[in-house]
Amino acid sequence: MKLLEERILRDKVVLPGGILKVDSFLNHQIDPALMREMAREFYRLFAAEGVTKVLTIEASGIGIAVPTAEEFGVNVLFAKKAKTANLSPEVYTADVYSYTHKTQNKIFVSKNYLNENDRVLIIDDFLANGQALLGLMDLVHAAGATVVGAGIAVEKGFQDGGKLVREKGVRVESLAIVDKMDEDGNLKFRAQ
Ligand code: 5GP
């Protein structure tokens, strides 16, 4: 998506360790007009899939997930991060491994808001090693629901997540894929 690529090029900061900082429009301050355009693109891509729910993870996914769900006319459910979630029988839980922090964290959603009839579109801001996405997929499967695909704003193509999830047969649509990045701020997007 040209609009997103141009915005990344204009506003990004590249941090050591391969981190792309885009907190002027996506991860801290949020540009609603850009979120709206991304939502329309996700709708165009997944309109035929019979989506009944949009699932994301707090906090950064929510800003894109809300307008996306509005396009589909469905609700957004966001997975919460909590340490005690596995104790409650009223929630589905999954584990997400953080490479950055080298820790395993629980995420959860209430059983009230996800069931076996749901056709779920997962939305997230970044796809890097894929652990957040795999955890969200585990939640959907725990509910007996169906993952129709994943819509990602920025995929870091030089990390393994996209390959890992696509190899599982899941349709992943990323609006911008960064294949190369260096600390001088040079970025190369994958042509798509
Ligand atoms: P994963 O490695 O599980 O695919 O990514 C986990 C989470 O880390 C993403 O949802 C995203 O919030 C965050 N993340 C990973 N890489 C980056 C990055 O380069 N920039 C930003 N802003 N967030 C990232």
Side-chain angles (χ1 to χ4, degrees):
M1 187 184 174
K2 270 277 158 283
L3 191 68
L4 177 60
E5 289 182 358
E6 283 165 12
R7 190 61 178 271
I8 293 169
L9 287 177
R10 199 185 84 189
D11 289 357
K12 51 91 180 68
V13 177
V14 178
L15 298 178
I19 295 292
L20 179 60
K21 192 173 177 214
V22 284
D23 66 357
S24 68
F25 63 91
L26 186 60
N27 292 129
H28 189 25
Q29 178 171 263
I30 294 175
D31 177 345
L34 181 62
M35 299 304 116
R36 166 68 53 210
E37 290 307 314
M38 292 201 283
R40 288 192 175 132
E41 185 62 6
F42 286 136
Y43 181 73
R44 192 184 68 76
L45 291 163
F46 290 101
E49 297 294 343
V51 173
T52 65
K53 190 137 300 185
V54 169
L55 176 67
T56 188
I57 183 166
E58 65 179 356
S60 292
I62 298 174
I64 321 166
V66 169
T68 302
E70 195 182 2
E71 291 291 321
F72 286 90
V74 302
N75 285 328
V76 181
L77 180 63
F78 66 89
K80 299 194 177 199
K81 302 168 179 170
K83 293 187 178 64
T84 56
N86 54 335
L87 300 176
S88 165
E90 309 304 325
V91 295
Y92 298 115
T93 65
D95 292 313
V96 174
Y97 181 74
S98 165
Y99 282 100
T100 341
H101 299 106
K102 305 272 181 281
T103 54
Q104 187 97 343
N105 302 302
K106 295 266 179 215
I107 58 170
F108 74 95
V109 293
S110 166
K111 288 187 177 177
N112 290 333
Y113 305 125
L114 203 56
N115 66 57
E116 67 273 15
N117 298 317
D118 277 316
R119 293 181 57 77
V120 180
L121 173 63
I122 299 175
I123 293 287
D124 208 0
D125 58 338
F126 269 86
L127 173 58
N129 290 306
Q131 299 303 303
L133 191 45
L134 291 173
L136 289 168
M137 286 164 52
D138 285 347
L139 289 179
V140 177
H141 294 143
T146 305
V147 177
V148 304
I152 304 293
V154 187
E155 176 176 340
K156 291 157 77 186
F158 54 89
Q159 290 181 245
D160 286 340
K163 188 166 174 280
L164 201 68
V165 177
R166 289 183 182 101
E167 276 175 0
K168 290 182 180 293
V170 175
R171 179 179 172 200
V172 180
E173 298 283 358
S174 299
L175 301 185
I177 303 181
V178 179
D179 269 340
K180 275 190 193 155
M181 197 168 88
D182 66 32
E183 281 170 36
D184 295 329
N186 301 306
L187 252 65
K188 189 172 179 298
F189 291 108
R190 188 175 304 174
Q192 21 176 19

